[in-house]
Amino acid sequence: MTSPLLGTYARADVAFERGEGAWLVAQDGQRYLDFGGGIAVNALGHAHPHLVEALTEQAKKVWHVSNLYQIPEGERLARRLVESTFADLVFFSNSGAEANEAAIKMARRYHAAQGQPERFRILTFEGAFHGRTLATIAAGGQKKYLEGFGPKVEGFDQVPFGDHEAMRAAITPETAAILIEPIQGEGGIRPVPNQCLRGLRDLCDETGMLLIFDEVQTGVGRTGKLFAYEWSGIAPDIMSVAKGIGGGFPMGACLATERAASGMTPGSHGTTFGGNPLAMAVGNAVLDVVLAPGFLDHVSQMGLLFRQRLAELKDRHPAVVAEIRGSGLMLGIKTHVPNTAFAAAVRDARMLVIPAGDNVVRLLPPLIVTQADVGEAMQRLDAACAAIEGELKAIAQRGAAE
Ligand SMILES: *Cc1c(COP(=O)(O)O)cnc(C)c1O
């Protein structure tokens, strides 16, 4: 039977019925270790009791009222985000792409309000991913996402990853902002060195550009800090957040300083669903857990342990594993075989991982992952590597026989 779903995804032939913590149970009863987390979304794993309670309690009260009225849970979540970050103000959206749209519009509007409407261009980096709307595919600049969708939205200039000279050369009097992921996620878990982030901050201060961090994937504890920018010692002017902040409930946020947000006057931007009571209840519940004393230390400890075990995996399977990357619980394995084949072999071993660019598979376990879960992951990764080595050997033998 063919699917009535638009064929934009090549879906694996497995459907999950329920989940608990780091585990998912498929319709056939098989248990899978979920180290993909729905692409860094299920920050607290599946069916976390505190999240389930927050959502069901809110569901009994009110689901949606629109932003024409006060939403106290949203006020509370915004205040907690502001108190925990560089930001003064928060705009809630439904997704990462929409959080980035808000960030892009805000940066442009800031300069317009300063009397420089010609200053609207934004610098981005090769390998970046910022979402799938028309503006965010232009920001991401990847040909495979732009092709066939008409003229690219004007105003995005892309420079090579880590090329300081190229970036300085790309700045013009029309440049409004720099948009960057502190660690490229879809691009293949490629961290930007802290000293480069500090350099970007200096450059923005020198030239009056705004610095925008896309923390849709790196945020909400993923790297062992609430937000990855904290590792660098500097702060952006604007930051987009999504994925983990809803723990599986669709939501996003655009955070900003008062100065950067100064162009966003009443009526300048909006959303029907963004910040709705269900999302806000869950967002607050996620923060209850992530901000609890010791939680981020747990993430760092599990990240270090997992990374160490992955380094051992590389030593055991040098024909399969090329490199281990990333930080905290945002890790990547660059493979010698096609990453999609590796991800399939891992899935055959009943574990879920996510392919990314640069022939990497991402490991994005829930932040509540335990040492025992990491042990289970290593067994499955070893089994997948062994299966691939077996195949490589069979191919080599066939080659020798011919
Ligand atoms: C996933 C992602 C996005 C897009 O988020 P959506 O919710 O899919 O719109 C944007 N930026 C980064 C860094 C991401 O990882």
Side-chain angles (χ1 to χ4, degrees):
M1 207 167 52
T2 59
S3 170
L5 291 173
L6 192 66
T8 50
Y9 282 93
R11 295 166 197 271
D13 190 18
V14 58
F16 300 104
E17 225 165 46
R18 60 199 157 85
E20 190 186 332
W23 296 86
L24 277 170
V25 182
Q27 279 176 337
D28 62 3
Q30 291 282 356
R31 283 166 59 81
Y32 287 73
L33 184 64
D34 184 7
F35 271 35
I39 319 185
V41 166
N42 300 105
L44 303 182
H46 299 281
H48 191 287
H50 187 59
L51 269 54
V52 172
E53 196 195 332
L55 182 62
T56 47
E57 284 309 306
Q58 185 59 47
K60 290 178 207 161
K61 294 183 196 160
V62 61
W63 290 20
H64 180 82
V65 294
S66 99
N67 285 302
L68 298 174
Y69 311 102
Q70 303 288 325
I71 300 176
E73 278 288 284
E75 294 277 338
R76 188 162 93 88
L77 180 55
R79 188 162 313 285
R80 294 171 84 188
L81 287 170
V82 161
E83 280 168 1
S84 314
T85 66
F86 70 94
D88 303 309
L89 294 160
V90 182
F91 175 85
F92 289 114
S93 65
N94 309 291
S95 67
E98 286 169 287
N100 278 326
E101 288 273 345
I104 292 161
K105 286 176 74 175
M106 187 184 283
R108 289 182 173 190
R109 187 91 168 181
Y110 164 81
H111 291 289
Q114 302 275 312
Q116 292 183 292
E118 74 286 356
R119 221 172 157 177
F120 71 97
R121 307 194 70 84
I122 294 180
L123 284 181
T124 64
F125 296 83
E126 266 173 25
F129 183 80
H130 300 296
R132 298 292 201 109
T133 61
L134 287 169
T136 55
I137 56 175
Q142 296 201 40
K143 216 171 142 207
K144 63 179 174 182
Y145 297 142
L146 284 160
E147 232 162 35
F149 293 116
K152 185 176 158 229
V153 169
E154 177 65 358
F156 297 93
D157 301 306
Q158 197 157 58
V159 296
F161 192 79
D163 186 338
H164 295 208
E165 291 312 306
M167 201 190 48
R168 274 191 178 270
I171 299 169
T172 74
E174 292 185 343
T175 310
I178 296 173
L179 169 59
I180 190 168
E181 299 155 84
I183 303 172
Q184 284 191 349
E186 309 293 314
I189 310 290
R190 298 203 294 170
V192 181
N194 285 331
Q195 109 199 38
C196 294
L197 295 178
R198 288 196 286 269
L200 294 180
R201 180 71 271 175
D202 289 342
L203 198 55
C204 285
D205 293 343
E206 257 170 58
T207 56
M209 296 186 296
L210 295 176
L211 184 59
I212 309 171
F213 282 177
D214 180 342
E215 292 230 28
V216 168
Q217 198 158 150
T218 52
V220 197
R222 181 60 48 195
T223 67
K225 298 269 192 201
L226 185 59
F227 292 101
Y229 79 82
E230 295 169 47
W231 293 109
S232 69
I234 56 100
D237 302 294
I238 303 174
M239 177 170 78
S240 51
V241 182
K243 294 203 165 98
I245 194 171
F249 197 94
M251 68 173 290
C254 176
L255 278 62
T257 62
E258 200 170 350
R259 182 180 72 100
S262 56
M264 303 304 279
T265 48
S268 60
H269 193 49
T271 165
T272 300
F273 288 122
N276 106 350
L278 291 173
M280 297 300 96
V282 178
N284 272 308
V286 169
L287 280 196
D288 289 343
V289 177
V290 174
L291 292 178
F295 185 85
L296 293 172
D297 293 335
H298 169 81
V299 175
S300 290
Q301 279 162 16
M302 288 301 118
L304 281 176
L305 169 78
F306 195 21
R307 209 195 150 105
Q308 211 169 4
R309 303 293 300 275
L310 289 171
E312 293 160 16
L313 183 83
K314 176 174 180 283
D315 292 343
R316 280 195 299 278
H317 305 283
V320 181
V321 177
E323 194 189 325
I324 306 299
R325 305 173 169 178
S327 76
L329 289 172
M330 184 172 179
L331 296 168
I333 303 177
K334 189 174 162 87
T335 52
H336 289 302
V337 296
N339 61 345
T340 48
F342 184 77
V346 175
R347 197 172 64 243
D348 288 343
R350 305 277 180 265
M351 175 175 168
L352 306 176
V353 295
I354 314 269
D358 204 21
N359 210 42
V360 163
V361 297
R362 277 173 284 177
L363 302 155
L364 304 160
L367 308 182
I368 48 125
V369 79
T370 63
Q371 202 165 335
D373 294 329
V374 171
E376 292 274 0
M378 295 318 301
Q379 281 180 18
R380 286 164 168 75
L381 291 169
D382 263 320
C385 287
I388 288 170
E389 282 159 354
E391 273 173 48
L392 291 174
K393 209 165 145 193
I395 291 167
Q397 277 167 353
R398 274 203 302 276
E402 272 161 21

